[in-house]
Amino acid sequence: MPSPSSGSKSPTPRKRTTPASTKKEGTAASAPAPEAKPVEPPKPVETLSLIDDEPKKPRVPSTKPKTSMFPPISKIKAAAQSKAKPAPEPTPAPAALPPPPPKPVVLDLIGGKPERKPAPAPAPAPEPAAPEPAPSAESGASTPPPPAAPVAAAAPEGEPDGGEPAADKIVHIKPPIVVKALGEAMGLKAFQVIKDLMSMGIFANQNQTVEPDVAAKVCTLHGYTFEVEKREKGAGVHKPEPKVLEPVAPVPVVVTDESEVRAPIVTFMGHVDHGKTSLMDAIRKTRVAAGEAGGITQHIGAYRVEANGRPITFLDTPGHAAFTAMRARGAKVTDIVVLVVAADDGMMPQTIEAMNHAKAAGVKIVVALNKIDLASANPDRVKAQLQQHDLAPVDWGGNTEVCPVSATKGLGIDHLLEVITLEAELMELKANPKEPPRGTVVEAQVEAGRGPTATVIVQRGTLKAGHAFICGRFWGKVKAMLDDRNKPVKEAGPSVPVKIVGFSGLPNAGDELVFFANERDARELSEQRLEDIRTKKLAPPQRASLESLMSLMQGDGKKVLKLVLKCDVQGSQEALVASLNEIKSKKVELEFVHTGVGPITESDVLLASASQAVIIGFNTKLESVAVSTAKREGVQVKLYSIIYELIDQVKDAMAGLLDPETRESIIGHAEVRQVFDLTKGRVAGCYVTDGRIMRSGRARVLRRRQAVYDGGLATLRRFQDDVKEVRANFECGIKLGDYDDYEVGDIIECYTLEKVAQKL
């Protein structure tokens, strides 16, 4: 038993435990706890701090895993839900999962707005699930589910996943860009676009245009992408009207397998009193069946007959004037010309003129010697006259067929047709009926109830009803075709004459009819031609004149001066022709297209216009009709009363046709004594030995008497001054064009080029 002292003595007092000490002890006791934690938990989870003041980071895909010690509550909740409900990813969830709980409402406790569900992303490889911790009391509110993988950045509005702007957000406009059209493309009112432009400092109304860069800024403000569509080269705001091209000029006929023999086209020409019309009537009476009503009557100015089983097309031209008008417009329809000459009268002035027309056209001539049944007929005298005009008969050793005929008694007509058929066989006339049709207008008139009609001879192809065409400055469509017996036909082949109904205007004799596949193109080309005629109406045509240096060239290279000579009497004509033919020249030839006695008529003017000739009158005058025709055609007419003045003028005109000769004249020499290298190139220091060196002349460099350069002078200086020339015994600096290979001792020769008129 302890003693009282010891009993009174209190036991050893324990150390008083305070909260602070308790905390320290607890801290000391729990210090080794992190060491006891496993190094790698089965599944690290992240924690979500609800009171974290750090700013939210943008949702950027991250490949680096987070290093938080505790998983966020959202992932804990997501892990629980992932066991109950399979994820939308293609990777299947574990089969042994409890049924999914009801889907909780996800709230953002900081932002106060529902969290946007992230876009689905490919799920990572499955990992072993961590043990699910028990939910604590603090996690009373539902937490958002964790994302299955790092979420990619959300694409901007209006763009698909690939980063390309959506098709409905792209504005395509071709310049010029109108404000109203720009607003309509974006679905906005015009005033909204004007407001945006005013904010940029641009004031424009709804009908004005803006630049593409300004339109792009306006589209960007409203979330649109602006793309400018480039217009095609030459395209405008309005649809360009295509210009119809002119039809291709006819090329020479090429004989192919599809070519067929066509009928010859024959024209009767001659003096009006020599029985030309009677001869044509006789041919029609003998070759057209008498039982056909109207077969004898000629309606359309051309007709066809059968001779020896072959057709022949005849043109009923009242005189040579119509033939000249066709040839003046470039039409060559006739293959053979039958020159009708009366056996009792012989060659008359109009007969000679018709012969000259046929020669100028370059067609075959067959002479029909009419009225041989008369007692006064003298065929030998007519043949002698033909011999004088270079139409030697065949029985006289020439190549011109002369057929004696009688129109009143019907003698020799068969022989005439046989000769025409033989000449056509020798010419080998062929055409392709399957190519695009072309024809030439022979006559044109306006008929009551039909409008403008024209007689056309088809030269190529086959013309059918319904074809569109262009003829001269007018267009048309074949509404109806009539043959020489006034019967309707559906088509017309080569060398077939038809009357065509369907012209928009009255064409001229000699106009070419060209087929068009499109009626609209024919109409547009007609309008273009009419417009060209209106614009060129005041511009006079350029014809040959005595003062002009332009003339046609012959095959041998000689230039030709063509004349139409008219005199007062036959003696003056012969004297003038003889005097002008005495002008001898190897460079220029003088050609008389036509010579005659009497006043200058309209036919002479047309002949000169077609042949590019000059009309010369000696002691004669111009008819009133010919004055206006010459002015319209642009033909020059010269009138003389002194024969020597006329001859001198013709000589000057012939000499004026020749190009001037270029002659070289040497004016000085300079010797190169030193070569200077300057910044602008090498310059030759020269001493003028003789003559002078001119800045405007040409120069050549002579080295050992051989020319090494020939050209102009670029620089000519004496000391520091540019001079026009340097005379002998003076020094100068010379630079020749782009030449810089000067050597000491070179000779620079200066010369000029002079043009000297040639002489006959």
Side-chain angles (χ1 to χ4, degrees):
M1 187 173 187
S3 60
S5 60
S6 62
S8 62
K9 186 179 179 180
S10 62
T12 304
R14 295 184 180 180
K15 193 172 182 180
R16 190 175 179 181
T17 304
T18 61
S21 60
T22 306
K23 185 176 181 181
K24 291 179 181 180
E25 292 174 359
T27 304
S30 61
E35 298 178 0
K37 183 179 178 181
V39 179
E40 183 177 1
K43 183 178 180 182
V45 293
E46 298 177 355
T47 60
L48 178 62
S49 177
L50 302 179
I51 59 173
D52 194 357
D53 296 330
E54 293 183 3
K56 292 184 178 181
K57 297 181 180 180
R59 294 177 293 172
V60 179
S62 175
T63 57
K64 184 178 179 181
K66 296 183 179 181
T67 58
S68 177
M69 182 176 297
F70 299 100
I73 300 176
S74 60
K75 284 206 171 187
I76 297 173
K77 190 67 177 178
Q81 293 180 357
S82 63
K83 293 181 180 181
K85 183 178 181 180
E89 287 77 6
T91 304
L97 291 178
K103 186 176 181 181
V105 180
V106 181
L107 296 176
D108 187 358
L109 300 181
I110 298 177
K113 296 180 181 179
E115 186 181 56
R116 179 179 296 176
K117 186 177 180 181
E127 296 180 344
E132 180 180 359
S136 60
E138 289 95 14
S139 60
S142 300
T143 57
V151 182
E157 183 180 356
E159 295 188 6
D161 296 340
E164 296 291 337
D168 56 348
K169 288 293 184 179
I170 300 178
V171 176
H172 297 276
I173 298 181
K174 293 181 180 180
I177 304 167
V178 184
V179 175
K180 184 177 181 181
L182 180 61
E184 292 176 353
M186 295 186 294
L188 302 176
K189 297 293 185 180
F191 73 88
Q192 294 176 294
V193 181
I194 295 174
K195 178 181 177 182
D196 296 334
L197 294 175
M198 293 178 65
S199 64
M200 300 178 187
I202 300 174
F203 296 89
N205 59 29
Q206 63 178 0
N207 297 323
Q208 291 180 334
T209 59
V210 294
E211 296 296 329
D213 54 347
V214 177
K217 293 179 181 179
V218 174
C219 292
T220 305
L221 293 177
H222 297 279
Y224 286 85
T225 302
F226 178 77
E227 292 186 2
V228 181
E229 293 187 8
K230 294 183 179 180
R231 293 187 180 274
E232 297 180 0
K233 187 176 181 180
V237 180
H238 303 287
K239 183 179 179 181
E241 296 182 1
K243 188 173 182 179
V244 182
L245 299 178
E246 290 284 343
V248 184
V251 297
V253 178
V254 179
V255 179
T256 61
D257 296 339
E258 298 179 350
S259 299
E260 299 177 0
V261 178
R262 66 174 179 86
I265 302 174
V266 182
T267 301
F268 281 85
M269 302 178 68
H271 197 68
V272 293
D273 293 334
H274 285 186
K276 176 174 62 68
T277 305
S278 301
L279 183 60
M280 288 189 294
D281 290 340
I283 293 176
R284 286 198 297 268
K285 288 179 181 179
T286 56
R287 292 296 165 181
V288 177
E292 296 179 357
I296 298 177
T297 306
Q298 214 290 104
H299 294 280
I300 65 174
Y303 58 93
R304 302 187 76 186
V305 299
E306 293 286 339
N308 300 326
R310 294 191 56 182
I312 301 176
T313 300
F314 288 96
L315 291 184
D316 186 10
T317 55
H320 53 273
F323 184 75
T324 305
M326 288 192 294
R327 191 168 58 83
R329 292 177 177 86
K332 185 183 176 183
V333 181
T334 303
D335 299 317
I336 300 173
V337 169
V338 176
L339 188 64
V340 181
V341 183
D344 55 344
D345 288 342
M347 300 286 288
M348 301 296 288
Q350 194 170 349
T351 308
I352 298 174
E353 191 172 355
M355 178 190 64
N356 293 330
H357 289 326
K359 286 183 178 181
V363 298
K364 184 67 178 177
I365 298 177
V366 175
V367 178
L369 199 58
N370 196 14
K371 300 183 181 180
I372 60 170
D373 57 320
L374 298 179
S376 59
N378 190 353
D380 292 337
R381 182 172 66 91
V382 178
K383 291 181 180 180
Q385 293 175 347
L386 292 174
Q387 180 79 27
Q388 295 175 1
H389 292 87
D390 299 330
L391 292 178
V394 174
D395 52 353
W396 284 24
N399 54 3
T400 302
E401 291 285 348
V402 178
C403 302
V405 295
S406 174
T408 56
K409 296 185 178 181
L411 302 176
I413 293 179
D414 293 338
H415 176 62
L416 176 63
L417 296 177
E418 184 179 353
V419 169
I420 293 175
T421 305
L422 179 60
E423 293 289 348
E425 290 179 356
L426 295 177
M427 297 172 67
E428 295 182 354
L429 304 174
K430 292 186 178 181
N432 185 5
K434 297 183 180 180
E435 63 178 322
R438 284 175 178 263
T440 304
V441 176
V442 178
E443 293 179 356
Q445 58 277 334
V446 178
E447 298 182 12
R450 291 180 177 176
T453 61
T455 301
V456 177
I457 290 186
V458 181
Q459 294 177 292
R460 298 185 179 186
T462 302
L463 188 65
K464 300 180 180 179
H467 280 179
F469 60 85
I470 182 78
C471 185
R473 61 182 184 272
F474 299 108
W475 69 279
K477 185 177 181 180
V478 181
K479 298 180 180 178
M481 288 191 297
L482 306 175
D483 62 2
D484 56 341
R485 301 171 188 177
N486 206 21
K487 293 183 179 181
V489 294
K490 294 184 178 180
E491 60 181 26
S495 299
V496 176
V498 288
K499 177 185 286 187
I500 296 179
V501 180
F503 286 85
S504 62
L506 188 64
N508 297 321
D511 287 347
E512 185 183 21
L513 184 143
V514 182
F515 164 77
F516 262 79
N518 191 349
E519 183 178 347
R520 179 180 178 184
D521 293 344
R523 184 188 298 109
E524 292 180 357
L525 182 57
S526 173
E527 294 175 356
Q528 293 175 14
R529 289 183 176 181
L530 291 172
E531 183 65 25
D532 293 341
I533 292 174
R534 284 191 290 266
T535 55
K536 296 178 181 179
K537 196 170 183 179
L538 298 179
Q542 297 294 329
R543 297 291 186 183
S545 62
L546 292 178
E547 293 80 8
S548 176
L549 299 180
M550 300 180 63
S551 181
L552 298 176
M553 300 286 290
Q554 284 189 341
D556 55 357
K558 290 185 179 180
K559 294 191 175 182
V560 182
L561 177 62
K562 296 182 178 181
L563 297 178
V564 174
L565 181 62
K566 296 298 288 288
C567 301
D568 54 346
V569 293
Q570 187 71 23
S572 300
Q573 173 189 339
E574 294 177 355
L576 277 174
V577 171
S579 300
L580 294 177
N581 284 330
E582 290 179 357
I583 303 176
K584 302 297 181 181
S585 175
K586 296 182 180 180
K587 304 174 183 178
V588 182
E589 288 188 358
L590 188 64
E591 179 182 343
F592 291 97
V593 178
H594 173 63
T595 58
V597 177
I600 300 173
T601 62
E602 183 183 9
S603 177
D604 298 328
V605 176
L606 292 175
L607 179 60
S609 173
S611 304
Q612 294 289 328
V614 179
I615 299 178
I616 294 180
F618 182 73
N619 286 337
T620 187
K621 62 180 181 178
L622 270 166
E623 292 183 353
S624 58
V625 180
V627 173
S628 59
T629 306
K631 185 177 180 181
R632 183 181 70 251
E633 296 290 337
V635 177
Q636 187 181 33
V637 181
K638 292 282 188 178
L639 300 177
Y640 299 94
S641 58
I642 303 174
I643 188 171
Y644 301 107
E645 181 182 354
L646 187 152
I647 295 174
D648 293 340
Q649 286 283 339
V650 173
K651 286 183 179 180
D652 295 340
M654 294 174 64
L657 294 176
L658 300 175
D659 297 328
E661 293 180 345
T662 302
R663 296 181 181 178
E664 181 181 302
S665 176
I666 299 175
I667 58 177
H669 295 83
E671 180 184 356
V672 179
R673 296 191 172 181
Q674 190 172 355
V675 181
F676 301 94
D677 292 328
L678 303 180
T679 56
K680 295 183 179 180
R682 305 185 72 190
V683 177
C686 303
Y687 177 80
V688 183
T689 57
D690 61 84
R692 54 181 177 170
I693 305 297
M694 295 183 62
R695 172 68 180 82
S696 59
R698 295 181 61 85
R700 64 169 62 96
V701 179
L702 302 178
R703 183 174 299 165
R704 291 182 290 276
R705 297 183 179 181
Q706 297 292 330
V708 296
Y709 175 79
D710 193 342
L713 277 74
T715 306
L716 178 63
R717 289 190 178 185
R718 177 163 171 78
F719 297 106
Q720 301 296 328
D721 300 329
D722 288 332
V723 293
K724 294 183 178 180
E725 66 176 27
V726 178
R727 296 185 177 273
N729 302 324
F730 287 96
E731 296 179 345
C732 61
I734 298 176
K735 180 174 175 56
L736 301 175
D738 55 352
Y739 182 77
D740 57 0
D741 189 16
Y742 307 102
E743 292 184 4
V744 177
D746 289 347
I747 301 298
I748 297 179
E749 184 179 67
C750 185
Y751 64 94
T752 58
L753 298 177
E754 299 178 355
K755 292 185 177 181
V756 181
Q758 296 190 54
K759 295 182 179 180
L760 298 176

